[in-house]
Amino acid sequence: MGCLLRKYAKSSSNLRITISENFSSYDCKFWLAKELSESMRAKIWELINGNMSELCVNSSLGWNALDKQQELFDPLARYIVLNPVDQSDQIAGYSVLRFEHEAEEDILYCYELQISPLHQRKGLGKFLMKLLQVIGRRTKMEKIMLTVLNNNSAANDFYATIGFQLDECSPSFEDPENEGDTEKVDYQILSKLLV
């Protein structure tokens, strides 16, 4: 599968992508949280709520709508949003990222990667993750990190396929020097080096 990237608008924050496998076209736009309209915020929330609430509600992370909205629309959050060209009022998928400094490392943290069920298995998740890698490298981040629930097998398989591994800061990471010193949790922190 290949992606054709073409500049779409005069603004450097817009791209049009065509997924060559099925000839679907999407507009790719970059936003700061403060730039999102109320309508976009509602669609972003609808997608994450539909995709994640059931997975999270029975996990140790839980699902608190107010807390999740505060995290999602934090002023430091940046968005990459994919809209189908023929339905520009719809969201096919998005990624939420932040630039963080943790444990002496500069990281790009992928807070969310959400693809609408209607647009899954079309290469959009892979496209967004490749775009995050480009952004991370250009901004001199050392790695991309993300959190994934153990019960989200599709996401775990996807991230493994594109080269993510258990990060040493993950509670379930087994350090050979501290045998048996792992926490039993139902989520993992994964990362991929960029340098």
Side-chain angles (χ1 to χ4, degrees), residues 80 97-99 106-109 128-144 192-195:
I80 305 170
L97 65 129
R98 288 195 219 171
F99 299 102
D106 292 323
I107 60 169
L108 185 155
Y109 209 102
L128 286 169
M129 293 308 293
K130 284 183 180 181
L131 196 50
L132 289 181
Q133 288 178 62
V134 169
I135 292 167
R137 285 187 179 107
R138 289 203 175 164
T139 55
K140 303 202 184 316
M141 298 293 109
E142 296 170 52
K143 61 184 170 182
I144 297 177
K192 184 173 184 177
L193 292 175
L194 297 174
V195 290

Side-chain angles (χ1 to χ4, degrees), residues 11-138:
S11 167
S12 63
S13 65
N14 298 313
L15 297 171
R16 177 162 287 168
I17 63 168
T18 301
I19 306 297
S20 60
E21 201 169 83
N22 58 16
F23 302 104
S24 299
S25 294
Y26 300 89
D27 286 326
C28 178
K29 297 181 181 175
F30 300 80
W31 303 90
L32 298 174
K34 68 181 180 182
E35 299 171 331
L36 297 171
S37 68
E38 287 304 315
S39 171
M40 281 188 71
R41 285 174 180 251
K43 289 174 184 160
I44 285 167
W45 176 251
E46 182 180 344
L47 182 53
I48 192 172
N49 193 43
N51 283 357
M52 297 302 297
S53 61
E54 283 187 40
L55 286 169
C56 290
V57 75
N58 294 319
S59 76
S60 62
L61 300 178
W63 186 258
N64 180 305
L66 183 58
D67 289 347
K68 191 62 182 176
Q69 287 175 3
Q70 286 176 340
E71 175 189 285
L72 199 56
F73 302 116
D74 184 277
L76 296 176
R78 291 167 166 78
Y79 285 78
I80 305 170
V81 180
L82 300 176
N83 307 95
V85 169
D86 58 347
Q87 297 176 309
S88 59
D89 63 326
Q90 298 300 310
I91 293 179
Y94 64 86
S95 180
V96 181
L97 65 129
R98 288 195 219 171
F99 299 102
E100 307 276 355
H101 184 80
E102 292 182 8
E104 304 300 317
E105 294 181 301
D106 292 323
I107 60 169
L108 185 155
Y109 209 102
C110 176
Y111 275 78
E112 296 298 335
L113 177 66
Q114 299 295 328
I115 307 297
S116 164
L118 295 173
H119 298 277
Q120 291 177 0
R121 307 249 181 251
K122 295 183 179 183
L124 300 182
K126 188 179 270 187
F127 170 78
L128 286 169
M129 293 308 293
K130 284 183 180 181
L131 196 50
L132 289 181
Q133 288 178 62
V134 169
I135 292 167
R137 285 187 179 107
R138 289 203 175 164

